[in-house]
Amino acid sequence: TLKIAKLLKRDHRTIKRFIQNSQQGRKKRVEKPRRKITAHELRKVKRAAAKMPLATSFTIFQSCNITGVPKSTRCAILRDMAKVRKAEKRPPLNKTHKLKRQDWAKKYLKTDFSKVLWTDEMRVSLDGPDGWARGWIGKGQRAPVRLRRQQGGGGVLVWAGIIKDELVGPFRVEDGVKLNSQSYCQFLEDTFFKQWYRKKSASFKKNMIFMQDNAPSHASKYSTAWLARKGLKEEKLMTWPPCSPDLNLIENLWSIIKCEIYKEGKPYTSLNSVWEAVVAAARNVDSEQIKTLTESMDGRLLSVLAKKGGYIGH
């Protein structure tokens, strides 16, 4: 073994270990017979999967008292009757919420929504909405490396609005600023009112309706009084039903922008770079896309009434 190790330029202990293993021989793999699923058990699995849509394959089969089935077989059986999907996120709507949504829909059913300015904020993180990305990696190829930030890396808070076929903003909230009533009003003064609203004609200001959701900084007495001094009060300030992000058109704009800035799982290394990506993506949103969103509001109101105040999706 020493001579062989010297010839092969390997450690002599490696040669000895190889000789010992080769003399013992390899154990043959014994194929275990797979557990067969009867038609009755298959129906039980289907019912269990419908009752527990977010459960694992092991939990589903265990609830049916079906044991001895390997994971690959369980997943193959479930793939024939179901599809892996993420759970939908939606706000909790109780009976009171639904009644308020119906009343709101009836109130604004005859409104000219081309005169409504829809506004909201969005937080854009460095790593994307989920903090991770996945894709198709070819055989023999390594997955691309993504930075792993222990504390998430932070993000940028963005405010914007849409009206008819026009995009207002986006405007960036200063880093480190928490939007309470005072800072929210000061932010609107420095951005929305000074850079966009004051350039509009008197007739436009007279007819415009300002929409904002019920975030504490928006719906507080301080913010309401401040907006009233700016002329946005009573019928010019839209009342908003509780738990209703599905009715705010600008949520769809945020989806368009996020799909653009995070396409191909692109991460960002600085807050300025992700802000520049938001600005570029917003610039690429054409007026027809915005017009399609604002014109969809009539249909959303009818959907709310048809579903008796229920969630309508985006």
Side-chain angles (χ1 to χ4, degrees):
T1 57
L2 291 173
K3 289 181 179 179
I4 294 171
K6 189 174 181 181
L7 286 170
L8 298 178
K9 297 181 180 179
R10 301 293 297 272
D11 190 274
H12 68 93
R13 289 168 293 187
T14 304
I15 304 300
K16 286 181 180 179
R17 196 180 305 116
F18 173 77
I19 293 172
Q20 289 172 358
N21 292 338
S22 64
Q23 289 174 348
Q24 290 175 1
R26 295 186 180 182
K27 293 181 181 180
K28 292 184 178 181
R29 183 178 176 182
V30 179
E31 292 289 342
K32 294 182 181 180
R34 289 200 170 187
R35 169 81 152 77
K36 292 184 178 180
I37 304 295
T38 64
H40 175 65
E41 289 176 330
L42 199 60
R43 288 193 295 271
K44 288 173 66 178
V45 169
K46 192 171 184 178
R47 286 195 296 268
K51 289 180 181 178
M52 303 182 293
L54 299 181
T56 63
S57 64
F58 177 79
T59 305
I60 291 172
F61 276 72
Q62 191 180 44
S63 67
C64 302
N65 294 322
I66 303 174
T67 58
V69 182
K71 183 179 178 180
S72 58
T73 305
R74 295 197 305 264
C75 293
I77 292 170
L78 289 171
R79 272 196 296 269
D80 291 336
M81 63 179 71
K83 184 179 180 181
V84 177
R85 296 175 63 185
K86 292 179 68 176
E88 294 182 7
K89 295 180 180 179
R90 62 176 61 178
L93 291 177
N94 56 34
K95 188 176 180 180
T96 304
H97 294 157
K98 292 179 180 180
L99 289 174
K100 288 184 177 181
R101 282 163 63 92
Q102 289 183 77
D103 293 339
W104 180 85
K106 292 174 183 177
K107 178 181 178 180
Y108 289 101
L109 197 57
K110 296 182 179 180
T111 302
D112 182 2
F113 289 107
S114 65
K115 298 176 181 178
V116 177
L117 175 66
W118 307 89
T119 71
D120 199 11
E121 296 95 12
M122 167 186 70
R123 179 164 291 280
V124 188
S125 63
L126 297 178
D127 295 332
D130 295 322
W132 58 275
R134 60 182 178 182
W136 297 101
I137 311 299
K139 292 182 178 179
Q141 295 181 344
R142 296 189 63 181
V145 177
R146 287 178 63 86
L147 297 176
R148 182 180 181 274
R149 280 174 273 262
Q150 189 172 357
Q151 303 300 330
V156 175
L157 188 61
V158 181
W159 182 96
I162 54 174
I163 182 170
K164 197 176 180 179
D165 60 353
E166 184 179 358
L167 172 63
V168 182
F171 299 115
R172 177 179 178 178
V173 178
E174 187 178 347
D175 297 340
V177 173
K178 185 178 180 180
L179 281 187
N180 52 29
S181 301
Q182 292 78 9
S183 59
Y184 172 66
C185 294
Q186 186 61 51
F187 171 78
L188 290 181
E189 176 66 31
D190 296 337
T191 55
F192 168 68
F193 283 103
K194 286 186 178 180
Q195 299 181 38
W196 187 83
Y197 187 72
R198 72 175 183 178
K199 299 177 183 179
K200 297 298 179 180
S201 63
S203 60
F204 176 87
K205 294 177 182 178
K206 183 180 178 180
N207 295 319
M208 191 197 82
I209 301 173
F210 187 82
M211 174 270 154
Q212 59 181 2
D213 61 21
N214 293 325
S217 59
H218 300 171
S220 67
K221 292 181 179 179
Y222 179 93
S223 299
T224 304
W226 186 85
L227 288 171
R229 292 195 295 271
K230 291 288 185 179
L232 302 178
K233 57 183 177 179
E234 298 173 354
E235 295 302 316
K236 294 193 65 180
L237 184 63
M238 179 178 281
T239 57
W240 193 247
C243 301
S244 299
D246 55 321
L247 299 179
N248 193 353
L249 309 177
I250 202 169
E251 295 291 344
N252 298 87
L253 175 70
W254 295 143
S255 298
I256 294 171
I257 290 176
K258 284 185 176 181
C259 286
E260 177 63 25
I261 65 177
Y262 295 123
K263 64 182 179 181
E264 299 177 3
K266 183 178 180 181
Y268 295 87
T269 55
S270 68
L271 298 181
N272 287 333
S273 63
V274 73
W275 165 244
E276 290 170 2
V278 169
V279 173
R283 197 181 296 121
N284 290 332
V285 179
D286 57 46
S287 58
E288 284 300 318
Q289 286 178 292
I290 298 173
K291 189 177 180 181
T292 300
L293 292 177
T294 54
E295 289 180 348
S296 71
M297 198 61 215
D298 292 321
R300 297 188 187 213
L301 293 190
L302 295 175
S303 297
V304 171
L305 294 174
K307 293 192 174 184
K308 297 181 180 181
Y311 189 80
I312 63 170
H314 288 183

